[in-house]
Amino acid sequence: MGRFHQANIAHCNRTIVIHDERADDSVGRVILGRYRVVLPLGRGGQGAVDLARGEGAEGFARPVVVKRILAPLARDPLMLEQFAREARITAQLDHPAIVPVHSLEQ
């Protein structure tokens, strides 16, 4: 099953869509090879949101927010489709109060 990842890039108002089976205690974990989880921000019935740091070459770092589906729901094809659909719809919206989707990765 594919993995979707969503990260809201705080200073650029960009979003990357994320599905991860391990949406639990993950401080310090690196996601997609470049986002390091810094602090859990919230957790609900369907997912978790973490503050993370986008890391790159030469010490490049940028704050991001990562949204992930909780493990029990990550195996549900319907839930994965709803998560991806949310990202596709959000990507079409353009409003100062809505963080746009930057990319959808599997």
Side-chain angles (χ1 to χ4, degrees):
M1 192 167 292
R3 297 177 72 180
F4 296 102
H5 292 270
Q6 176 170 332
N8 299 332
I9 300 174
H11 295 286
C12 291
N13 277 346
R14 296 191 178 174
T15 305
I16 297 171
V17 173
I18 295 192
H19 151 68
D20 192 320
E21 294 183 7
R22 299 169 293 171
D24 48 19
D25 299 328
S26 57
V27 172
R29 189 171 128 220
V30 175
I31 299 170
L32 292 175
R34 64 181 180 254
Y35 301 109
R36 183 175 307 278
V37 176
V38 175
L39 176 72
L41 295 177
R43 184 179 176 124
Q46 296 181 346
V49 178
D50 298 313
L51 174 64
R53 182 176 58 243
E55 300 177 338
E58 302 293 325
F60 174 84
R62 170 172 239 141
V64 299
V65 175
V66 177
K67 179 180 179 182
R68 300 178 285 153
I69 296 175
L70 295 177
L73 300 174
R75 294 171 190 81
D76 180 349
L78 179 60
M79 182 57 70
L80 295 175
E81 175 53 35
Q82 289 174 348
F83 195 78
R85 182 172 182 247
E86 174 187 337
R88 288 190 302 268
I89 292 170
T90 304
Q92 297 175 39
L93 302 176
D94 183 18
H95 188 276
I98 299 172
V99 178
V101 172
H102 175 63
S103 70
L104 178 63
E105 301 180 27
Q106 278 189 334

